[in-house]
């Protein structure tokens, strides 16, 4: 199935492409606003990217883009037998590399106090809403992420901070009821619930 929230709904910013899972992974990893994708099979069919970039459906709803934790499952929310057949082996892959602001952040800041910096490394990108910044320092002791240039916006405590690609290194992790991830760079299928590296990190 495709991605859905805990109320079995999908109505969030998204766009569809005629690509398989590998193509969807590449598209999502190169888009800092993409938080998840759903695909029908590894090499073909239709894939859905959950992003506001080049959005084509429900573009006003940015809930998932700002908080991928709302993606709770994969399902087939249609009674149409043709759609059910096409998506019967569909999978939902949702971003898991994110944390939350531990304290509010003001415009002009170059550091963020977060609840857990463990998903971030120097050289990664991070995104808060639409702002993408390069990480130049990670402090595990003070739980702080330092970025190269100041933020233009102010952000409240508990806002999501997501790891995004500056060099195609974003991790997409398995979400919902999906089965095993595609093979990684070594050709090994990683187990359900793990991160799918697909050779990019």
């Amino acid at each position: 199935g495709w991605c859905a929230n805990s109320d079995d709904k999908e109505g969030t910013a998204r766009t569809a492409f005629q690509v398989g899972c590998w193509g969807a992974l590449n598209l999502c990893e190169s888009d800092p606003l993409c938080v998840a994708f759903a695909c029908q099979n590894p090499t073909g069919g239709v894939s859905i990217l959950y992003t506001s970039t080049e959005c084509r459906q429900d573009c006003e709803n940015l809930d998932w883009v700002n908080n991928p934790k709302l993606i709770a499952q994969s399902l087939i929310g249609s009674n149409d037998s043709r759609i059910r057949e096409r998506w019967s082996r569909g999978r939902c892959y949702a971003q898991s590399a994110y944390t939350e602001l531990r304290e509010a952040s003001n415009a002009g800041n170059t550091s963020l106090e977060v609840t857990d910096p463990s998903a971030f490394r120097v050289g990664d990108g991070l995104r808060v809403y639409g702002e993408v910044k390069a990480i130049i320092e990670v402090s595990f002791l003070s739980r702080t992420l330092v970025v190269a240039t100041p933020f233009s916006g102010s952000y409240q405590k508990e806002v999501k901070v997501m790891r995004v690609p500056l060099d195609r290194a974003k991790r997409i992790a398995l979400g919902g009821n999906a089965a095993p991830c595609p093979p990684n760079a070594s050709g090994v299928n990683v187990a359900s619930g793990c991160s799918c590296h697909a050779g990019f990190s």
Side-chain angles (χ1 to χ4, degrees):
W2 49 78
C3 302
N5 63 20
S6 58
D7 295 325
D8 300 342
K9 304 293 185 190
E10 186 202 28
T12 191
R14 62 193 185 276
T15 189
F17 291 93
Q18 290 286 334
V19 295
C21 297
W22 292 117
L25 175 64
N26 286 334
L27 288 168
C28 196
E29 285 197 329
S30 62
D31 175 4
L33 297 175
C34 183
V35 294
F37 67 93
C39 54
Q40 294 176 339
N41 63 66
T43 58
V46 173
S47 293
I48 301 167
L49 268 62
Y50 298 94
T51 178
S52 57
T53 304
E54 297 181 24
C55 180
R56 296 182 190 141
Q57 196 165 356
D58 293 312
C59 302
E60 70 287 346
N61 186 341
L62 301 177
D63 290 351
W64 290 8
V65 171
N66 295 325
N67 185 5
K69 192 173 183 179
L70 296 173
I71 303 168
Q73 60 182 319
S74 59
L75 59 76
I76 305 172
S78 173
N79 293 323
D80 186 317
S81 61
R82 293 170 298 171
I83 293 174
R84 294 188 71 80
E85 172 62 26
R86 283 196 297 266
W87 280 94
S88 64
R89 303 181 83 187
R91 301 289 179 251
C92 170
Y93 296 92
Q95 180 175 350
S96 66
Y98 61 88
T99 186
E100 297 179 346
L101 287 180
R102 190 164 44 93
E103 298 294 338
S105 175
N106 295 320
N109 281 1
T110 55
S111 64
L112 301 174
E113 295 181 48
V114 297
T115 57
D116 181 6
S118 62
F120 300 84
R121 299 289 179 268
V122 171
D124 284 344
L126 66 75
R127 175 172 68 82
V128 182
Y129 288 103
E131 289 196 73
V132 177
K133 302 291 181 182
I135 300 172
I136 59 170
E137 183 182 330
V138 178
S139 171
F140 295 96
L141 186 61
S142 63
R143 292 183 286 169
T144 302
L145 302 173
V146 180
V147 297
T149 57
F151 285 94
S152 59
S154 295
Y155 302 106
Q156 298 300 312
K157 181 179 177 179
E158 299 181 354
V159 162
K160 298 292 181 283
V161 178
M162 280 160 273
R163 192 174 95 193
V164 297
L166 287 179
D167 59 356
R168 299 180 60 81
K170 183 172 72 172
R171 294 185 184 188
I172 299 291
L174 199 63
N177 300 320
C181 297
N184 64 18
S186 305
V188 178
N189 283 298
V190 286
S192 179
C194 65
S195 291
C196 294
H197 302 290
F200 295 117
S201 65

